Amino acid sequence: MIITRSPLRITLGGGGTDLPSYYENHEGFLIAAAIDRYVYITIHRTFFDEFIVKYSKLEKVSHAKELEHPIIREALDLVNLDGRGMEITSMADIPAGTGLGSSGSFTTALLKALHSLKRNIVHPEELAEQACHIEIERLKDPIGKQDQYIAAYGGITCFRFQKDGKVKAWPLAISEETRHNLEDGLVMFFTGYSRRAADILKQQDDQTKSKADAGAMVANLHYVKDLGLRSKDALEQGDLIAFGQLMHEHWQYKKKRSGAMSNPQIDEWYDLAMRNGAVGGKLIGAGGGGFLMFYSADKTRLRHALLAAGLKEVRFHFDFEGTKVLAQ
């Protein structure tokens, strides 16, 4: 049996500039961090010719081309496997649609498992690019590249999305003390809302490409990219209060990109957090639901207020291993 895992992620600055409609003209930049919440894939050989796939549904087919699950179907085609005599199962610590990049984590974990089955050695860059090829080029999802890349690489990583489609990745130059303080000061709460990131990202993508609407959206993303670069500087200088304030500023600009980015209940919870020790925060991911994340120098007060409001906290640490094989 082959078991792989791929980390989920949080974005620390510059989110939204990793879509092709933006970076192909202006270059994108963001900082992402992998966390110790994972998507798992298992593959094992069976004694039957049929292909069995277990996720939120159960599929039994004679060939991978017959699968309903688009990512699994395309991944097997990419690595030239038909699936016969195989069983693939997926599990996750946190459900999809909550803003932590689960689709990119799923695709990288799946590809890692398939390459392991074929005894292929695959570098994180190649793994991430193959995952992007499946989701963006083959399946035409209007999404960015950060989820696949941070899942493959792990760590707290800076990414530059170049106009030619290539991605440059390097570790954030953060001190160990600052990293521990950052991890200690970040708190994350589930809002209870879930959504498809592609729905909100498609609106951003369409506006960026539209002659009528592109100006405002591109200007917004220019500013968000600058906030990402300023967040990088603040983190590398160990100024976590400044980083938290930039998170707050980022959230204000993020909400301007779409009316579906927030709702009155999320705004109420955010305001409650800001009155109870949060320096700044935002919804993680494309918006519309999922997790609210805050940086706070007074976590006890913040935690007490949001737990009393009915939110559920999910605690985490950073992951520095990226997508990996657990058993083979």
Side-chain angles (χ1 to χ4, degrees), residues 150-188:
I150 188 59
Y153 278 89
I156 306 174
T157 308
C158 301
F159 296 100
R160 178 174 295 119
F161 304 93
Q162 300 177 165
K163 293 180 181 180
D164 60 4
K166 294 181 180 179
V167 179
K168 182 179 180 182
W170 68 97
L172 180 71
I174 188 172
S175 70
E176 184 176 2
E177 179 185 1
T178 301
R179 174 169 57 82
H180 286 310
N181 289 338
L182 174 65
E183 189 174 75
D184 190 54
L186 288 173
V187 286
M188 190 165 70

Side-chain angles (χ1 to χ4, degrees), residues 11-15 17 29-32 224 227-229 231 243 250 282:
T11 308
L12 300 179
T17 68
F29 172 83
L30 61 80
I31 312 165
V224 166
L227 287 173
L229 292 166
S231 296
F243 166 73
H250 185 179
K282 62 177 180 176

Side-chain angles (χ1 to χ4, degrees), residues 55-218:
Y55 49 107
S56 57
K57 295 173 62 176
L58 171 64
E59 294 193 59
K60 293 183 179 181
V61 296
S62 59
H63 195 286
K65 291 181 179 179
E66 301 170 6
L67 281 176
E68 292 181 15
H69 196 295
I71 293 176
I72 300 176
R73 184 182 66 239
E74 295 299 326
L76 268 80
D77 182 64
L78 183 71
V79 300
N80 196 28
L81 287 170
D82 60 21
R84 285 182 293 187
M86 292 170 53
E87 181 175 319
I88 296 179
T89 303
S90 70
M91 296 172 286
D93 290 333
I94 293 175
T98 52
L100 300 181
S102 59
S103 178
S105 299
F106 175 91
T107 310
T108 52
L110 175 63
L111 285 168
K112 187 74 170 180
L114 294 173
H115 282 298
S116 181
L117 183 68
K118 298 191 72 174
R119 300 294 191 267
N120 295 337
I121 296 174
V122 58
H123 186 274
E125 181 181 15
E126 182 182 5
L127 185 67
E129 200 50 48
Q130 287 182 0
C132 290
H133 173 72
I134 288 172
E135 294 194 75
I136 298 172
E137 296 177 31
R138 288 191 174 212
L139 298 177
K140 308 299 182 184
D141 282 342
I143 59 174
K145 288 188 171 184
Q146 74 151 316
D147 296 350
Q148 301 84 353
Y149 270 84
I150 188 59
Y153 278 89
I156 306 174
T157 308
C158 301
F159 296 100
R160 178 174 295 119
F161 304 93
Q162 300 177 165
K163 293 180 181 180
D164 60 4
K166 294 181 180 179
V167 179
K168 182 179 180 182
W170 68 97
L172 180 71
I174 188 172
S175 70
E176 184 176 2
E177 179 185 1
T178 301
R179 174 169 57 82
H180 286 310
N181 289 338
L182 174 65
E183 189 174 75
D184 190 54
L186 288 173
V187 286
M188 190 165 70
F189 298 89
F190 183 50
T191 65
Y193 298 102
S194 62
R195 81 291 175 270
R196 290 186 70 251
D199 295 337
I200 293 177
L201 292 176
K202 185 178 187 304
Q203 181 180 355
Q204 175 185 320
D205 196 49
D206 289 344
Q207 286 184 247
T208 306
K209 294 174 180 176
S210 167
K211 292 182 179 179
D213 301 324
M217 180 60 72
V218 170

Side-chain angles (χ1 to χ4, degrees), residues 311-327:
L311 295 179
K312 181 179 180 180
E313 183 181 8
V314 173
R315 301 192 185 196
F316 64 89
H317 298 285
F318 296 130
D319 169 279
F320 290 89
E321 297 183 309
T323 306
K324 66 177 293 185
V325 176
L326 297 179

Side-chain angles (χ1 to χ4, degrees), residues 280-296:
K282 62 177 180 176
L283 273 178
I284 305 172
F291 285 88
L292 275 167
M293 182 177 73
F294 301 94
Y295 179 77
S296 175

